C-alpha cells in the first residue's frame, strides 16, 4: 500500500452538489465502485470515495465528496467546499425543478469555492429519455452562459459517468 500511495502525483478534491434524489450518490458509486442501487437512501452529512487513475502519465487520486441535497441533512457548507478544485453540479433531466435550482447551487458554489474551480453541469438519468423534462438545448445554453462543461449521464446504465469525471479531472489537471 505504501508503494501505491508513493506513486500518486496529485490529489484532487471534487464535490458533488444538486437537489436531493438527482443521483449524486449513485454517480459516485458507479464511478468509484461500478455499483448502482435502485433503493439508494438519502445522504446524511458528508461521505467521500476515492479513485485513482492515470491522466497524462500522472497518477491522479480523485477524492470525491458527496453531501445531502436536503438542507436539513447538510453539513457545514464552507468545510465541504474547502480545497475543492472541481465540482459536479447535478440535476435530474426528468425533473425540471432540479435544473431550475442549478442557479442557486452555482451561487452557493461560487460563494464558497475557489474561483478557479472547474465546474461540470451533469444532467443525470438520461436512461429515462421518455420522461425528459429538460431539453438538451436549455442545459447547453445555461452551461455556455455560465462557462461550464456539460454532459448527460446515467448512473443506472453507466452512460458517460466515467467520461464526465475524466473530463473534469483532465480539465483540472
Ligand atoms: P441525496 O443524497 O438526498 O442528496 O440524493 P442523491 O442525489 O444522492 O440521489 P441518489 O443517488 O440517492 O439517487 C436517488 C434515486 O434516483 C435512487 O432511487 C436511485 O436509484 C435513482 N437514480 C440515480 N441515478 C439514476 C439514473 O441514472 N437513472 C435512474 N433511472 N435512476 C437513478
Ligand atoms: Mg446522496
Amino acid at each position: 500500500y505504501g508503494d501505491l500511495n508513493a506513486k500518486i502525483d496529485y490529489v484532487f478534491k471534487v464535490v458533488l452538489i444538486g437537489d436531493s434524489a438527482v443521483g449524486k450518490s449513485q454517480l459516485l458509486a458507479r464511478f468509484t465502485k461500478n455499483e448502482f442501487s435502485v433503493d439508494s437512501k438519502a445522504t446524511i452529512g458528508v461521505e467521500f470515495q476515492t479513485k485513482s487513475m492515470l491522466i497524462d502519465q500522472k497518477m491522479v487520486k480523485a477524492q470525491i465528496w458527496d453531501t445531502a441535497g436536503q438542507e436539513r441533512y447538510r453539513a457545514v457548507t464552507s468545510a465541504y467546499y474547502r480545497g475543492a478544485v472541481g465540482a459536479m453540479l447535478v440535476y435530474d433531466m426528468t425533473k425540471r425543478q432540479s435544473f431550475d435550482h442549478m442557479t442557486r447551487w452555482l451561487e452557493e458554489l461560487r460563494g464558497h469555492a475557489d474561483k478557479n474551480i472547474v465546474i461540470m453541469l451533469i444532467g443525470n438519468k438520461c436512461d429515462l429519455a421518455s420522461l425528459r423534462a429538460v431539453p438538451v438545448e436549455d442545459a447547453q445554453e445555461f452551461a455556455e452562459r455560465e462557462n461550464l462543461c456539460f454532459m448527460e449521464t446515467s448512473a443506472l446504465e453507466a452512460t458517460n459517468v466515467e467520461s464526465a469525471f475524466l473530463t473534469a479531472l483532465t480539465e483540472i489537471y
Side-chain angles (χ1 to χ4, degrees), residues 128-155:
L128 302 173
S130 60
L131 300 174
R132 178 188 287 277
V134 182
V136 186
E137 297 75 31
D138 290 18
Q140 271 166 346
E141 196 178 293
F142 177 71
E144 257 165 55
R145 195 167 59 232
E146 298 292 345
N147 215 0
L148 322 171
C149 303
F150 165 64
M151 228 175 249
E152 288 190 341
T153 61
S154 166

Side-chain angles (χ1 to χ4, degrees), residues 3-15:
D3 270 338
L4 276 178
N5 281 326
K7 287 195 188 106
I8 288 168
D9 298 297
Y10 300 99
V11 178
F12 291 157
K13 175 178 172 179
V14 174
V15 294

Side-chain angles (χ1 to χ4, degrees), residues 18-27 36-44 66-70 124-128 153-157:
D19 283 6
S20 182
V22 296
K24 299 180 297 297
S25 298
Q26 291 313 307
L27 283 167
F36 180 85
S37 149
V38 268
D39 56 355
S40 173
K41 296 204 173 54
T43 305
I44 296 177
D66 178 25
T67 191
Q70 288 181 62
N124 190 40
K125 308 198 186 182
C126 70
D127 54 285
L128 302 173
T153 61
S154 166
L156 185 144
E157 292 183 342

Side-chain angles (χ1 to χ4, degrees), residues 10-141:
Y10 300 99
V11 178
F12 291 157
K13 175 178 172 179
V14 174
V15 294
L16 286 159
I17 49 173
D19 283 6
S20 182
V22 296
K24 299 180 297 297
S25 298
Q26 291 313 307
L27 283 167
L28 181 57
R30 175 62 78 194
F31 179 60
T32 58
K33 298 181 281 189
N34 200 21
E35 284 175 9
F36 180 85
S37 149
V38 268
D39 56 355
S40 173
K41 296 204 173 54
T43 305
I44 296 177
V46 177
E47 294 169 2
F48 77 84
Q49 297 283 343
T50 62
K51 180 166 171 156
S52 299
M53 71 203 74
L54 267 181
I55 295 176
D56 199 22
Q57 321 277 24
K58 299 287 183 196
M59 190 52 86
V60 171
K61 183 178 189 171
Q63 186 184 78
I64 304 157
W65 294 48
D66 178 25
T67 191
Q70 288 181 62
E71 193 69 50
R72 62 189 164 136
Y73 292 146
R74 299 193 68 206
V76 187
T77 306
S78 51
Y80 188 67
Y81 292 110
R82 192 170 304 133
V85 289
M88 312 297 261
L89 210 55
V90 188
Y91 66 92
D92 174 347
M93 52 155 265
T94 72
K95 296 242 155 48
R96 181 71 203 192
Q97 188 174 251
S98 70
F99 176 71
D100 293 337
H101 287 165
M102 289 288 93
T103 45
R104 278 200 229 161
W105 286 107
L106 197 55
E107 232 170 70
E108 180 179 290
L109 180 64
R110 293 204 164 126
H112 290 88
D114 187 274
K115 56 179 186 323
N116 294 320
I117 193 167
V118 170
I119 309 170
M120 185 103 195
L121 179 68
I122 303 282
N124 190 40
K125 308 198 186 182
C126 70
D127 54 285
L128 302 173
S130 60
L131 300 174
R132 178 188 287 277
V134 182
V136 186
E137 297 75 31
D138 290 18
Q140 271 166 346
E141 196 178 293

